[in-house]
Amino acid sequence: MTSAEGPQAPSEDDDLGGAVNGRMCIVTRESGSPDELIRFVAAPDGTIVPDLKRQLPGRGCWVKLDRALVDKAVAKKLFARALKAEVTAPSDLGAIVDRLLVAQLAGMMHMARKAGQFVNGSSKVDGAVRNGSALAVFHAIDAAADGVRKIDQARKAWHLGMETEKEIPSFRVFTEAEMEEQMGQNAFIHAAALAGRAGEGVVKRANLLERYRNGGQSRATGGAGRRKQ
């Protein structure tokens, strides 16, 4: 996470288990970097809560960024074993994490919009792709195929014309109704994250959500859009 999200919780408080810096998934027993894992801690009442910003005090434990693994940790009561305490994990913990990741992405989109690094509307998105300022594009899941196809053509034209390694990535993570719930009047059908720190934050959080929902892998089409060396 970015420095704006605060310092990382001390790793010595977490489930060590032989992993580097104490970051080991309690389900797979594999170690990983903070961006590959979700930290969980016990609230004062013993309820397990996700700590996406890695700021909450106390001993924590980690699960890989994968909805299925969070659900498995709940079903097998692995949080109590990892924390060596009487704790309770909500049955819908996997869904809670998803909602938090969605809210985190929507919040970053709002921030990027205020910074002038997030635009919506098919013409603005097409222009941002063609002039190279777009880091990624976003479409509502239920966006019309014709509108998506036109922006895909712009992505391909930029990729071929500038000889980038991959096309600018394209995400479809919200339905239009879900965006209206999260973003109100700022909901969009087509949008683009633009170059800059806030725009980069949007892309990072979109990748986190995609990976969480898809077994640790992002299903966004395209890639970094960097020029070949």
Side-chain angles (χ1 to χ4, degrees):
M1 299 298 176
T2 63
S3 58
E5 292 173 326
Q8 181 178 307
S11 60
E12 59 265 29
D13 289 342
D14 291 359
D15 175 42
L16 296 177
V20 177
N21 295 326
R23 301 188 195 100
M24 174 184 280
C25 175
I26 64 174
V27 181
T28 66
R29 308 308 294 174
E30 296 172 343
S31 60
S33 69
D35 285 342
E36 298 171 325
L37 299 159
I38 305 167
R39 186 174 188 261
F40 293 87
V41 299
D45 65 357
T47 302
I48 292 295
V49 296
D51 179 20
L52 298 185
K53 296 182 179 180
R54 303 187 292 278
Q55 292 178 316
L56 297 177
R59 182 174 183 171
C61 58
W62 303 77
V63 178
K64 280 194 168 183
L65 191 69
D66 183 339
R67 166 74 180 267
L69 294 179
V70 174
D71 290 340
K72 187 173 182 179
V74 173
K76 292 186 172 294
K77 304 184 187 307
L78 298 182
F79 292 103
R81 184 187 306 174
L83 296 176
K84 298 178 174 62
E86 293 292 327
V87 298
T88 302
S91 60
D92 63 342
L93 185 60
I96 291 171
V97 173
D98 188 281
R99 289 195 295 271
L100 290 173
L101 288 170
V102 165
Q104 192 177 67
L105 172 57
M108 198 69 220
M109 287 176 170
H110 281 301
M111 186 179 298
R113 188 186 301 276
K114 290 180 179 179
Q117 295 170 21
F118 193 81
V119 296
N120 63 279
S122 58
S123 60
K124 289 183 179 180
V125 174
D126 186 275
V129 170
R130 293 183 185 277
N131 67 28
S133 62
L135 297 177
V137 300
F138 295 82
H139 305 289
I141 291 173
D142 45 356
D146 185 58
V148 175
R149 183 169 56 252
K150 289 178 180 178
I151 293 171
D152 282 348
Q153 290 172 347
R155 291 169 56 233
K156 186 172 291 294
W158 172 257
H159 166 55
L160 295 176
M162 301 305 295
E163 298 185 336
T164 57
E165 292 178 359
K166 297 180 181 179
E167 293 179 14
I168 295 166
S170 175
F171 294 91
R172 302 185 76 165
V173 294
F174 301 129
T175 65
E176 187 177 358
E178 287 170 337
M179 278 190 288
E180 288 179 353
E181 180 181 350
Q182 288 288 331
M183 307 183 72
Q185 63 181 6
N186 290 325
F188 58 84
I189 303 299
H190 309 286
L194 308 183
R197 185 174 179 183
E200 291 170 358
V202 171
V203 179
K204 180 176 182 178
R205 284 154 184 78
N207 271 310
L208 290 175
L209 180 58
E210 279 280 283
R211 286 161 53 200
Y212 180 71
R213 289 177 170 178
N214 298 295
Q217 303 295 318
S218 176
R219 292 168 62 182
T221 58
R226 294 172 295 183
R227 294 189 183 187
K228 295 178 180 178
Q229 299 299 314

